[in-house]
Amino acid sequence: MTASNAHDLAPSDLVAPDRVAGRIYTDPAIFELEMSRIFERSWVWVAHDTELPEPGTFKSTHVGRQPVIVTRDRRGDVRTVLNRCRHRGASVCERKSGRANGFTCPYHAWSYGLDGSLRGVPYPDGYTGVLDRSGMGLQRLRTESYGGMIFATFAEDAEPLAEFLGDARGWIDRFMRQGGGYPVKVLGTHRFRFSGNWKIQLENTTDGYHFPIVHRSWMASVDAETANMMSFMTDPRAITHALGNGHSVMQMVPEHSDLDADDGTEKLQDRFAGLIGRLESEGVEAAEIRRLVRAMHGTGFNLNLFPNVSCSISFFRVLRPIGVGETEIEHIAIGPDGPPEITGPVNRERLRAHEHFQGPFGFGTPDDAEGWDRVQRGAAGAPDMPIMVNRGLGREEPSPEGWPTSHVTDETGMRAAYAQWKAMMADD
């Protein structure tokens, strides 16, 4: 693929093993195909289990550009339904989250149960014959979960979620161990948009190469112990590898990849001395304090789940395509779900650490977002010129499971995502 012939190629041919055409960031026609061939045919992350704690709770979100509601119905089952009345197409819910007995369209008051079934139609005698309510409920999406992660898809013939996740499941299991012996729960979320294509952010979460360059200010703002922990550029143990179906994992702090594997020799950071004292005053045992404090920085890896979510060290990063040059990002902080006297102080400390990197006043997010914006602006020039994803291609080796593996600064994860993109964008 060269700059001179990229404009003549089919979308799936715009991806080569070592490069992609820049116009996959800028071409509106390609974006439209992505929405139908990827986001409406793949398993898309929609919620964490703790966002729907009880029957009647719900969350509004999107699968690609299509608005959906994720609910826990009266039986406790999780459902995902299209946020579109079957009568005249109005949205039936405009709240981000909450509790409800069902949903009623504000236009003509058609009402629906938490499972999407049609419950009531005002003045039904206006319809000739019998209104078939069984076929007029809110459109349902297939919904499955793993490890508290809830996914939905429009594709009735999609493979089971467990098969789609494949070897990523073990990494989800590791990620959820950062509760220090407790389950994890969502602590809070913030959203923002950047002026760039969704794939730019997808690449970023598996890009260790940029970290000490883009995040120099963050490295300078933290204590020496934290900065040293994140100095992985020359660490041969720090690796990234594919996991199949576009998923990949980037291990920046290998010794924290499995927080249950603790030989007791790692010193707890001095910055958490106040927290340790607080927990000791509550009578928390030393072993439990150690588990909670070792997990303060998360799991030390970024797990990218194609196409829209990553388990990023200590939070979820969710992307939503808005347009070819606009993407919404949601950062979701998580922490242990346990007795308030124990997990309360821990989660307050975790939120302060989250805010230090994420958000408009953080030392990380603004720098990342500027980089994403600049890639989009630059790619508009010579859009058929290749974007290179060849770093480390010559030094990849197979993992024990047979997946390509290389150094954490290499672009193995990006190549894995684009291989999945290529397969899904191929003509039917």
Side-chain angles (χ1 to χ4, degrees):
M1 179 180 63
T2 66
S4 62
N5 68 7
H7 65 281
D8 297 323
L9 298 176
S12 62
D13 292 330
L14 296 173
V15 171
D18 64 342
R19 67 191 65 196
V20 300
R23 76 179 178 94
I24 68 172
Y25 298 156
T26 61
D27 189 330
I30 290 175
F31 179 82
E32 294 299 326
L33 284 175
E34 290 173 336
M35 295 304 98
S36 61
R37 294 185 181 181
I38 295 177
F39 281 87
E40 294 175 17
R41 297 185 186 178
S42 185
W43 285 104
V44 173
W45 189 89
V46 291
H48 184 260
D49 198 56
T50 60
E51 295 181 276
L52 307 166
E54 298 173 352
T57 51
F58 69 88
K59 171 187 177 180
S60 297
T61 185
H62 291 78
V63 171
R65 288 181 301 179
Q66 301 212 40
V68 300
I69 313 168
V70 191
T71 75
R72 192 176 296 279
D73 68 19
R74 295 183 184 278
R75 297 188 305 175
D77 295 330
V78 176
R79 309 275 192 165
T80 306
V81 295
L82 191 65
N83 191 358
R84 179 190 186 280
C85 181
R86 290 298 294 269
H87 175 220
R88 297 279 289 280
S91 64
V92 298
C93 180
E94 289 294 321
R95 294 166 59 195
K96 278 292 183 183
S97 62
R99 186 184 303 274
N101 293 320
F103 304 100
T104 300
C105 177
Y107 200 4
H108 299 95
W110 283 37
S111 61
Y112 303 88
L114 292 165
D115 62 355
S117 59
L118 180 62
R119 291 195 311 198
V121 176
Y123 311 109
D125 55 342
Y127 292 93
T128 302
V130 178
L131 182 66
D132 182 10
R133 296 192 181 198
S134 64
M136 294 297 287
L138 299 176
Q139 181 180 345
R140 293 175 179 171
L141 284 69
R142 281 183 59 193
T143 305
E144 297 181 17
S145 66
Y146 181 84
M149 305 280 281
I150 302 169
F151 296 77
T153 181
F154 283 97
E156 288 298 324
D157 60 349
E159 62 190 319
L161 176 65
E163 293 182 17
F164 175 70
L165 294 174
D167 286 342
R169 289 176 296 170
W171 291 96
I172 294 174
D173 295 342
R174 295 181 185 95
F175 189 78
M176 298 303 173
R177 291 172 190 163
Q178 64 184 280
Y182 297 102
V184 300
K185 67 177 180 179
V186 168
L187 301 179
T189 182
H190 72 273
R191 300 174 186 86
F192 66 98
R193 294 187 181 189
F194 72 93
S195 299
N197 188 267
W198 67 276
K199 296 182 293 300
I200 298 171
Q201 196 288 306
L202 185 74
E203 297 169 5
N204 177 264
T205 310
T206 188
D207 181 358
Y209 193 30
H210 82 285
F211 195 90
I213 301 166
V214 173
H215 299 308
R216 187 181 297 112
S217 60
W218 179 83
M219 293 284 279
S221 72
V222 297
D223 59 283
E225 291 173 304
T226 301
N228 182 64
M229 180 180 68
M230 294 302 292
S231 298
F232 51 77
M233 296 296 285
T234 59
D235 186 348
R237 303 170 305 151
I239 60 172
T240 183
H241 55 94
L243 296 169
N245 289 336
H247 316 315
S248 64
V249 63
M250 181 176 71
Q251 295 175 262
M252 294 165 286
V253 188
E255 60 270 25
H256 282 189
S257 288
D258 186 349
L259 290 169
D260 284 354
D262 178 19
D263 61 9
T265 61
E266 181 183 353
K267 177 181 175 294
L268 298 181
Q269 290 188 19
D270 293 336
R271 66 181 289 184
F272 299 125
L275 174 62
I276 292 170
R278 172 71 182 273
L279 294 175
E280 288 174 340
S281 71
E282 293 287 347
V284 183
E285 295 183 357
E288 183 173 354
I289 292 174
R290 181 173 179 82
R291 287 195 299 270
L292 289 164
V293 173
R294 281 192 77 240
M296 286 297 300
H297 287 301
T299 53
F301 62 79
N302 284 355
L303 173 64
N304 236 22
L305 300 176
F306 187 90
N308 81 313
V309 66
S310 69
C311 301
S312 184
I313 300 185
S314 59
F315 65 98
F316 302 133
R317 175 182 277 167
V318 188
L319 64 85
R320 178 166 75 93
I322 304 297
V324 68
E326 186 175 14
T327 304
E328 182 176 271
I329 300 296
E330 187 175 26
H331 286 156
I332 302 175
I334 61 173
D337 186 7
E341 65 274 14
I342 297 176
T343 61
V346 171
N347 286 332
R348 283 194 292 272
E349 190 80 21
R350 287 179 68 101
L351 282 171
R352 300 296 82 79
H354 180 84
E355 293 163 350
H356 186 78
F357 191 92
Q358 311 299 341
F361 297 106
F363 282 82
T365 295
D367 291 337
D368 270 333
E370 181 180 352
W372 305 337
D373 286 350
R374 293 178 72 155
V375 169
Q376 187 73 15
R377 291 199 296 272
D384 289 325
M385 184 179 291
I387 300 290
M388 305 307 299
V389 290
N390 61 336
R391 181 175 172 83
L393 185 59
R395 58 182 177 185
E396 283 186 347
E397 296 182 356
S399 69
E401 297 79 18
W403 302 115
T405 302
S406 192
H407 190 253
V408 73
T409 62
D410 292 340
E411 292 157 353
T412 298
M414 297 179 207
R415 291 189 286 272
Y418 279 120
Q420 180 73 5
W421 186 94
K422 181 181 179 74
M424 298 195 75
M425 290 290 284
D427 291 334
D428 294 332

